[in-house]
């Protein structure tokens, strides 16, 4: 599952369906949780969300029936991921916290590794940055101990996204982009598209439109290659089209911006991705404010990324770039991000922005906002 499962997904589903048939005939119920989980997981990462939901529920029932804690932990994590996709961050976090607790209780290393990764992903979307850093740091430490490569690079990518969300674009990419990591891993469908889109968004936030477009178009070409896996393509394509729309709008190409935004809006609508719907709705109406001759809307003065206190990573003996490992699991030793908000508070880039910035992020962060269009943010919000 941590490798390129997507390229082998049809065979995995066929094998799992055959296993279900044999297990039901033989009364071997212990096989059912893993088989249903395989079908549910492949369906989820391929964008067949209704099918995924049905199979994950069947797998959960089967795992409870035979007390299969391994698959139960993984199923809770997967169910949380699907809630994350639809913007139900509180429900997602609860499911994934339960998954981690179960994995810790029974020393389940693989579910624990996946749990740290996907829980951190959910917490970033929720805006709980300190807890996200803690989960990603725990995951990186475990990945180092296990010698894992696939999830290790996804964790690094999420860490880069975390720093970018906090406005520290330098630490998100310096001195060597943590998103891309080892080149042998970089082209995997679970790593390359999201890492490259992250880099494109950082270049866009810096105003380097040529570099941003170059990064995004490389993902567009990758997604259109016949040999490219279906693994998460429906997910990263939403971000891709919305970011291409942002670049086009920044260049004053409003017609092209609307075309890209419409494609992203269609994908977000069909998959119930509410967090991307917010961005798509704003972008499809954004050209009404392109009153300047250049077609660009003014950018509000915001706090510079360099104004944000940084947590500097260190390089461990293996040569991989990871955050500083913790010496203890006591609460006092848990890592924190200086200057970041606590739970339920708006991030620094909202709190420090002028009122004209707030309508962009208000609904996602629980901040009342006006209905009128507003200038675009410095960093595209997922």
């Amino acid at each position: 599952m941590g490798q390129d499962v997507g390229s082998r997904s049809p065979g995995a589903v066929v094998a799992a369906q055959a296993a279900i048939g044999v297990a039901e005939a033989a009364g071997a119920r212990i096989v059912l949780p893993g088989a249903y989980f395989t079908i549910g997981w492949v369906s989820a990462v391929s964008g067949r969300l209704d099918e995924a939901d049905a199979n994950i529920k069947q797998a959960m029932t089967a795992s409870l029936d035979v007390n299969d804690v391994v698959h139960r932990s993984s199923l809770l994590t997967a169910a949380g991921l699907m809630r994350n996709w639809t913007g139900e961050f509180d429900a997602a976090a609860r499911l994934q916290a339960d998954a981690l607790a179960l994995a810790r209780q029974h020393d389940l290393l693989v579910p624990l590794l996946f749990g740290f990764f996907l829980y951190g992903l959910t917490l970033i979307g929720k805006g709980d940055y300190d807890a996200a850093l803690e989960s990603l740091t725990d995951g990186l430490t475990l990945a180092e101990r296990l010698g894992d490569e696939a999830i290790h690079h996804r964790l690094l990518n999420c860490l880069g996204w975390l720093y970018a969300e906090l406005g520290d674009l330098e630490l998100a990419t310096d001195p060597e982009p943590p998103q891309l990591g080892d080149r042998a891993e970089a082209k995997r469908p679970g790593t390359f598209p999201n890492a490259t889109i992250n880099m494109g968004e950082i270049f866009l936030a810096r105003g380097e439109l040529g570099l941003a477009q170059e990064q995004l178009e490389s993902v567009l070409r990758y997604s259109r290659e016949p040999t490219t896996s279906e693994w998460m393509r429906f997910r990263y394509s939403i971000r891709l089209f919305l970011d291409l729309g942002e670049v086009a709008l920044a260049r004053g190409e409003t017609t092209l911006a609307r075309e890209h935004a419409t494609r992203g809006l269609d994908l977000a609508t069909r998959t119930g991705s509410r967090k991307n719907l917010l961005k798509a709705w704003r972008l499809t109406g954004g050209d009404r404010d392109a009153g300047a001759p250049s077609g660009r809307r003014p950018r509000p003065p915001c706090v510079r990324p360099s104004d944000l206190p940084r947590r500097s990573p260190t390089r461990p003996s293996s040569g991989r770039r990871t955050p500083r490992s913790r010496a203890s699991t006591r609460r006092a030793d848990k890592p924190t991000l200086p200057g970041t908000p606590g739970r339920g508070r708006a991030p620094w880039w909202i709190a420090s922005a002028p009122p004209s910035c707030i309508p962009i992020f208000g609904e996602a962060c629980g901040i009342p906002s006006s209905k009128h269009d507003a200038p675009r943010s410095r960093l595209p919000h997922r």
Side-chain angles (χ1 to χ4, degrees):
M1 189 166 63
Q3 302 294 325
D4 185 6
V5 176
S7 64
R8 302 186 293 274
S9 59
V13 170
V14 170
Q17 289 170 338
I20 291 171
V22 173
E24 289 179 339
R29 296 179 301 163
I30 192 67
V31 175
L32 297 179
Y36 280 120
F37 173 70
T38 298
I39 298 172
W41 181 254
V42 170
S43 300
V45 300
S46 302
R48 302 189 302 275
L49 302 184
D50 289 339
E51 182 181 342
D53 186 62
N55 279 280
I56 286 174
K57 287 177 179 177
Q58 283 186 286
M60 182 61 71
T61 299
S63 71
L64 291 169
D65 187 37
V66 298
N67 196 27
D68 182 348
V69 294
V70 176
H71 285 103
R72 193 188 315 163
S73 177
S74 298
L75 285 160
L76 287 168
T77 295
L81 177 63
M82 294 181 65
R83 298 297 183 276
N84 177 10
W85 288 345
T86 58
E88 302 170 70
F89 298 117
D90 288 337
R94 285 194 297 269
L95 287 166
Q96 291 172 337
D98 289 345
L100 280 171
L102 192 63
R104 285 192 179 100
Q105 179 184 351
H106 295 278
D107 295 323
L108 309 175
L109 295 181
V110 173
L112 193 62
L113 182 59
F114 271 86
F116 284 138
F117 160 48
L118 294 175
Y119 187 46
L121 189 70
T122 294
L123 291 170
I124 297 174
K126 186 181 177 182
D128 194 346
Y129 298 120
D130 281 330
L133 178 65
E134 178 188 334
S135 185
L136 296 175
T137 302
D138 286 344
L140 285 164
T141 301
L142 181 58
E144 287 282 337
R145 291 175 179 173
L146 297 178
D148 170 82
E149 289 290 340
I151 302 304
H152 180 269
H153 289 85
R154 289 163 172 79
L155 288 159
L156 287 177
N157 186 36
C158 286
L159 186 65
W161 176 34
L162 170 60
Y163 285 125
E165 283 287 290
L166 291 170
D168 197 330
L169 307 184
E170 180 183 356
L171 189 56
T173 58
D174 183 66
E176 55 188 53
Q179 290 97 333
L180 293 178
D182 180 49
R183 296 294 169 178
E185 173 66 21
K187 285 294 183 179
R188 291 195 184 279
T191 302
F192 170 75
N194 286 304
T196 307
I197 290 172
N198 283 355
M199 293 298 298
E201 290 182 350
I202 289 171
F203 286 131
L204 175 59
R206 289 173 173 168
E208 301 176 53
L209 302 183
L211 291 173
Q213 184 152 348
E214 179 182 334
Q215 294 290 317
L216 297 173
E217 287 184 347
S218 70
V219 179
L220 184 61
R221 290 191 298 270
Y222 174 84
S223 70
R224 290 175 173 173
E225 292 175 1
T227 57
T228 295
S229 168
E230 286 294 321
W231 181 275
M232 297 294 187
R233 179 153 58 178
F234 83 100
R235 288 295 303 169
Y236 65 72
S237 293
I238 300 174
R239 287 180 61 201
L240 174 62
F241 286 122
L242 296 181
D243 286 341
L244 285 169
E246 292 275 3
V247 173
L249 187 60
R251 292 177 179 273
E253 301 168 348
T254 55
T255 300
L256 181 60
R258 182 177 287 276
E259 290 175 2
H260 287 312
T262 299
R263 296 187 69 178
L265 178 60
D266 176 60
L267 286 170
T269 301
R270 286 193 281 119
T271 57
S273 180
R274 289 187 292 177
K275 57 184 179 181
N276 284 309
L277 281 173
L278 292 173
K279 183 177 176 182
W281 287 332
R282 178 173 60 84
L283 187 56
T284 52
D287 59 357
R288 292 199 302 268
D289 287 340
S294 64
R296 299 185 184 182
R297 289 182 290 168
R299 292 181 181 270
C302 294
V303 176
R304 295 172 300 170
S306 58
D307 294 333
L308 180 70
R310 296 200 300 244
R311 172 184 171 85
S312 300
T314 60
R315 187 182 302 275
S317 58
S318 66
R320 296 172 181 159
R321 187 173 177 79
T322 62
R324 187 178 293 108
S325 299
R326 296 183 299 159
S328 170
T329 58
R330 292 177 301 164
R331 187 70 187 175
D333 295 326
K334 291 185 177 180
T336 59
L337 287 166
T340 59
R343 289 177 174 81
R345 292 177 53 196
W348 73 274
W349 35 266
I350 292 180
S352 304
S356 60
C357 291
I358 300 301
I360 300 173
F361 308 101
E363 185 173 347
C365 299
I367 300 174
S369 63
S370 63
K371 298 296 183 182
H372 63 78
D373 291 328
R376 289 181 295 115
S377 64
R378 293 178 63 88
L379 185 68
H381 185 63
R382 293 168 184 78

